[in-house]
Amino acid sequence: MNRRHHKGGLALGARKHDEHLWRERTLPPETRILLVEDEPELRAALKRVFARYDCQVFEAGDGETAMALALERRPHLVVSDFEMPGMNGFELVRRMRHHDALRRVPIVMLSGSPRAFNLAESLECEIAILLRKPFGGEALVDVISKTLGARLPVRAQAEPGARPSLPEPYQAPAESEYQVLLGKTARDAYSFEADRPAVTDMHETAAADAAPIIKMVNAILGLAVDKKASDVHLEPQEKSVRVRFRVDGGMIPQLEVPISMCAAMTTRLKVMASLNISERRVPQDGRFRMRLPDGRKLEIRLSTLPSRYGEKVVMRLLGQAQISGDLGSLGMHQRDLECVQAALANPNGLVLVTGPTGSGKTSTLYTMISALNSPDRNIVTAEDPVEYEMPGITQVNVRPEVGFTFDRALRAFLRQDPDVILVGEVRDVETATTALKAAVTGHLVLSTLHTNDAVTTVTRLVDMGVPPYMVAAAVRLVVAQRLVRVLCPHCKQLWQPTDSQTRLLTKEEINRLGSVRSAKGCERCDGIGYKGRTAVMEVLHIRSGPMREAITRCVSPDALQALAVAEGMRPLRRGVLDLVERGETSLPEALKILVDE
């Protein structure tokens, strides 16, 4: 148990007593305790703990309400959860410390996350004690009694042998080895305050390789893998380095470490990525590899950026997803799945996956490649960089700095007797033209393009300078996709959307949605309300005479969209609203796609 005792006197006039003395005193029945917990079930469980004791307990479901109640009722002690939406437990402490009437009120903070212990140190919040979940009711009462310097009086009607207990919901999930290591390392790091001298030579890296630095870097990367983070951000601030993960598309704060460790951590990562450790004035890019416990290799792309308080480091974690050859795992509608299977069954043609950065295009392409991978096929890929290692295929990293571009790689592939070609991205007319020529001369070509929807992909190729007749002849399939976050199944609930959110919907869409759901966040989803992401896709299958004729005649995008819908294409809008209707995602999450239209 990590303790940080309040320095001033307690509101009841009792100070921290000797272990034996607090048991000899009894608190008066007018002792006021404020419970702050956003989960109604857990708040009720806490109240049941205090039911056998003669004290006044009042409750709040969020930080703002707790602050108002504290000013009104002047509690002798506050028991607060750490993870809460809006104002969390530490923000509540900070607000209370700014009021003279509440400045000396002790706080007992409850948390199952090591982040609370890290923040307690880094933010220097004056709290009485941090109590790690899971815990028993008797342990909580003992902590409160010790903090106030006297025992809570037992109610006369309570059974003498009764012992307080907390129900099952308070059993926090087991922490991973990286969470435990990170929590311990972050606390130890505050004893490692000496500024590191500038490291100018590889042989001097021992100064930066002190045990706390190595443990900290390894623990951060390990925890990022555990949480399935796509990116890790190390952001130097005035007094600390903020560590944030991008999980399911959102930025999640993890911990803060002393600013004095910034240079040493950056140097350690630069050494791992073979960068110039003496250069701090210009941005640098590099990469390194680490092996996961299950044997998979994780490639990490690292970028440094000089900032006011030190170098900001962003790491992209590549290769975490498990790629299977099951096209059904992509979560497509049955009609869309059949279109993809039909296109991949062709020995030639161009298949394009489109969408903005971070929409899962590479994962979709590799699922297709995995489905095609067999001993009787020669598959080659050109990527920047290779994100997933797959046995049985030839994977090539392009290097534009030496002239080895996607276009040049594609032309080289055509002399390698390929059956299937994957080109990481169509960026220019040369790559587009070469890819389409390969697609009409007996090769199945897969690639990506940055467009908003399936139909504009066709017009984009024409705008790049590719003849319309070639687009109509070569393109077999276009998959436009987005990723939306999935509501946490443990805390999602019915929710009433606001008028400003429904104004983007038609009356028919509003009626079809019926009741929608949202999630307030819980420990199982780290208080975010979402757990994981799923793809929303629209699939344009170019196979009919009217569709090819419309592309050749360069009809307007609206006319092409209408024809595609008439032939069975389900637009992105329909797909994401179906997820809202089924309660898989929230309307605010769906609006990110609807507004993009």
Side-chain angles (χ1 to χ4, degrees), residues 6 96-106 126:
H6 182 57
M96 290 179 62
R97 298 310 181 219
H98 281 89
H99 289 267
D100 290 338
L102 304 175
R103 194 182 304 277
R104 300 172 69 187
V105 176
E126 291 187 355

Side-chain angles (χ1 to χ4, degrees), residues 326-377:
D326 181 13
L327 295 172
S329 65
L330 296 175
M332 288 182 285
H333 187 269
Q334 183 60 34
R335 176 262 175 192
D336 296 341
L337 177 60
E338 292 172 358
C339 291
V340 171
Q341 291 171 333
L344 296 182
N346 279 298
N348 56 61
L350 178 62
V351 174
L352 290 171
V353 180
T354 75
T357 300
S359 59
K361 300 186 297 296
T362 303
S363 296
T364 298
L365 279 179
Y366 261 94
T367 301
M368 295 178 180
I369 287 292
S370 182
L372 292 168
N373 192 11
S374 62
D376 61 339
R377 284 193 178 99

Side-chain angles (χ1 to χ4, degrees), residues 284-362:
Q284 296 188 65
D285 297 303
R287 63 185 65 189
F288 60 92
R289 285 186 176 187
M290 61 182 293
R291 188 177 294 276
L292 301 181
D294 61 5
R296 287 182 295 135
K297 294 178 182 177
L298 179 69
E299 181 158 332
I300 299 175
R301 287 190 300 185
L302 181 146
S303 172
T304 68
L305 181 69
S307 69
R308 181 179 180 184
Y309 298 112
E311 290 180 277
K312 176 178 178 177
V313 178
V314 176
M315 291 174 280
R316 168 65 58 89
L317 279 57
L318 305 174
Q320 285 205 79
Q322 294 278 17
I323 301 297
S324 72
D326 181 13
L327 295 172
S329 65
L330 296 175
M332 288 182 285
H333 187 269
Q334 183 60 34
R335 176 262 175 192
D336 296 341
L337 177 60
E338 292 172 358
C339 291
V340 171
Q341 291 171 333
L344 296 182
N346 279 298
N348 56 61
L350 178 62
V351 174
L352 290 171
V353 180
T354 75
T357 300
S359 59
K361 300 186 297 296
T362 303

Side-chain angles (χ1 to χ4, degrees), residues 132-385:
R132 186 187 292 274
K133 299 176 184 177
F135 53 83
E138 185 176 12
L140 175 60
V141 171
D142 281 352
V143 164
I144 291 173
S145 298
K146 292 177 184 178
T147 301
L148 295 178
R151 291 183 296 107
L152 286 174
V154 180
R155 292 187 188 276
Q157 66 270 28
E159 298 180 10
R163 297 172 68 87
S165 61
L166 290 178
E168 199 60 30
Y170 257 104
Q171 298 298 315
E175 295 177 341
S176 72
E177 59 178 307
Y178 294 113
Q179 286 176 305
V180 175
L181 177 59
L182 187 56
K184 180 179 185 303
T185 305
R187 292 193 293 274
D188 292 345
Y190 281 84
S191 62
F192 186 72
E193 290 292 337
D195 289 328
R196 294 290 172 183
V199 180
T200 58
D201 189 88
M202 287 291 287
H203 298 290
E204 297 179 39
T205 57
D209 282 348
I213 300 298
I214 297 176
K215 291 179 181 177
M216 178 65 73
V217 170
N218 291 344
I220 288 173
L221 292 175
L223 184 59
V225 171
D226 276 358
K227 290 184 174 290
K228 295 180 173 57
S230 60
D231 300 86
V232 176
H233 292 241
L234 308 181
E235 303 165 319
Q237 310 294 310
E238 183 177 5
K239 296 181 179 180
S240 62
V241 179
R242 181 173 61 175
V243 181
R244 294 193 293 172
F245 295 167
R246 187 174 293 280
V247 181
D248 296 335
M251 292 290 286
I252 312 298
Q254 296 297 320
L255 77 156
E256 296 190 13
V257 298
I259 189 62
S260 59
M261 297 182 68
C262 179
M265 290 175 63
T266 304
T267 298
R268 169 67 178 170
L269 289 167
K270 283 182 173 181
V271 169
M272 296 171 73
S274 300
L275 298 181
N276 185 348
I277 58 179
S278 63
E279 180 57 75
R280 298 180 176 87
R281 300 165 299 175
V282 297
Q284 296 188 65
D285 297 303
R287 63 185 65 189
F288 60 92
R289 285 186 176 187
M290 61 182 293
R291 188 177 294 276
L292 301 181
D294 61 5
R296 287 182 295 135
K297 294 178 182 177
L298 179 69
E299 181 158 332
I300 299 175
R301 287 190 300 185
L302 181 146
S303 172
T304 68
L305 181 69
S307 69
R308 181 179 180 184
Y309 298 112
E311 290 180 277
K312 176 178 178 177
V313 178
V314 176
M315 291 174 280
R316 168 65 58 89
L317 279 57
L318 305 174
Q320 285 205 79
Q322 294 278 17
I323 301 297
S324 72
D326 181 13
L327 295 172
S329 65
L330 296 175
M332 288 182 285
H333 187 269
Q334 183 60 34
R335 176 262 175 192
D336 296 341
L337 177 60
E338 292 172 358
C339 291
V340 171
Q341 291 171 333
L344 296 182
N346 279 298
N348 56 61
L350 178 62
V351 174
L352 290 171
V353 180
T354 75
T357 300
S359 59
K361 300 186 297 296
T362 303
S363 296
T364 298
L365 279 179
Y366 261 94
T367 301
M368 295 178 180
I369 287 292
S370 182
L372 292 168
N373 192 11
S374 62
D376 61 339
R377 284 193 178 99
N378 178 21
I379 302 176
V380 289
T381 75
E383 303 169 69
D384 184 21

